Amino acid sequence: MKVPFNKPYMTGKELWYISQAHANGHLAGDGAFSKRCSAWLQGRTGAHKALLTHSCTAGLEMGAILADLGPGDEVIMPSYTFVSTANAVVLRGAVPVFIDVRPDTLNMDEKLVESAITPRTRAIMPVHYAGVGCEMDVIMAVAARHNLVVIEDAAQALMATYKGRPLGSIGHLAALSFHETKNVISGEGGALLVNDSKFADRAEVIREKGTNRSQFFRGQVDKYTWVDIGSSYLPGEIIAAFLWAQMEEADRITAERIALWNTYHQFFADAERTEKIRRPVVPAHCVHNAHMYYLLLPDLAARTLLIERLKAANIQTVFHYIPLHSAPAGRKYARSHGELPVTDDIADRLVRLPLWNGLAERQAEVIQQVISKF
Ligand SMILES: Cc1ncc(COP(=O)(O)O)c(C=O)c1O
């Protein structure tokens, strides 16, 4: 493809930092680079603790363990999300309960959360789609009334804010992704943000195979042992070294993406006025991070045609998600709260356009091709 959908961006310092990790001779997790990345995340988000993981999926799994989910417990989430949001819950034997999304932001419809609560509900998992914040004030108020844990799926949301607060810093727990399709990357990678300090000690233990090894390294215990359930959720230093090269440039990476996003938005305004497409909606109190630019086409046939025509012009565009409630595992392990008409509708109509650092020199061509093919 002349214009791929995604092209991982390298800042240029990744190999230099990896060579330093190599020279340091500390290759397992939680060395100097992991500490720098954690401190940066804590500084940027205000999280009580930021723990690097090897993916957002891993961070969500840790969140599900920390929320003490067990068989039959229920967790409210959108169906319009990546599989990891639901899998983390199902792996504990608990049941994802899907609610519909808002037609504007495509985020969980906060007005539906309370009516989905049952005596088995334990947690809510808002997903900040395209790095645009869910209505966290409403969600946190419902959670407080019903004593529920809020785990933000902030996979796409690093550097974005809701009413001036960083996404990932509002729920009790949050998970970020540094997968190569995200803004700040390490190939595979992620982090768990612990905002409610009561989860901090257990989070460290779960991440270190259920042992108190982190306390041992800090000299707080004289030997370490198996104290809880857990797994190996920490990345090695090579990954953290790569990630540090990206974090150092996170502001510049985001600014460049915002410029690309704004250009798309400006050039598709006319097509929206003539109702050929609908553009993304960002509420005034949300600052997004330009993780994604998408268009909503009139119907599935129009979307299929657009993707095919752009492919013929060597421009790669993609769609997602197959709503989880209609996927085979979703039907087996989860349930929906009522009908999900908005989810079913937009899942058929959404197309994502190329958006990556370095696209600027090809963007005019992409825009011209897209507009000519509506
Ligand atoms: C909403 C959402 N949740 C979770 C994930 C999983 O992230 P990772 O690949 O880091 O496990 C993604 C990745 O695309 C995502 O978009």
Side-chain angles (χ1 to χ4, degrees), residues 233-286:
Y233 286 119
L234 68 168
E237 277 289 282
I238 300 288
I239 291 284
F242 190 109
L243 183 58
W244 179 243
Q246 297 263 322
M247 284 180 169
E248 277 192 327
E249 299 285 335
D251 289 309
R252 191 174 57 73
I253 291 170
T254 308
E256 192 182 326
R257 293 182 73 104
I258 298 267
L260 293 165
W261 195 101
N262 288 340
T263 302
Y264 273 144
H265 209 57
Q266 183 191 336
F267 278 92
F268 294 129
D270 269 349
E272 185 171 69
R273 261 192 296 277
T274 52
E275 296 185 3
K276 293 198 177 85
I277 48 109
R278 206 213 78 191
R279 299 178 302 163
V281 173
V282 182
H285 54 276
C286 293

Side-chain angles (χ1 to χ4, degrees), residues 54-58 60 81-85 127-129 153-156 176-179 181-182 188-190 291 320-321:
H54 38 71
S55 61
C56 176
T57 302
L60 294 169
T81 181
F82 192 66
V83 293
S84 299
T85 326
V127 180
H128 305 301
Y129 182 68
D153 183 336
Q156 306 175 8
L176 300 169
S177 175
F178 305 121
H179 183 263
T181 51
K182 301 301 183 293
E188 303 282 351
H291 170 59
H320 72 178
Y321 301 100

Side-chain angles (χ1 to χ4, degrees), residues 317-373:
T317 55
V318 301
F319 67 83
H320 72 178
Y321 301 100
I322 311 268
L324 297 183
H325 71 279
S326 53
R331 288 202 297 270
K332 187 165 170 193
Y333 296 117
R335 71 175 175 83
S336 299
H337 175 66
E339 300 290 305
L340 309 178
V342 182
T343 302
D344 287 329
D345 175 47
I346 53 111
D348 276 351
R349 300 196 289 121
L350 185 139
V351 61
R352 298 174 63 184
L353 303 186
L355 180 55
W356 35 268
N357 291 77
L359 176 70
E361 58 195 52
R362 316 300 294 271
Q363 194 180 17
E365 180 193 344
V366 175
I367 291 168
Q368 185 260 319
Q369 286 288 349
V370 172
I371 289 176
S372 75
K373 288 176 173 56

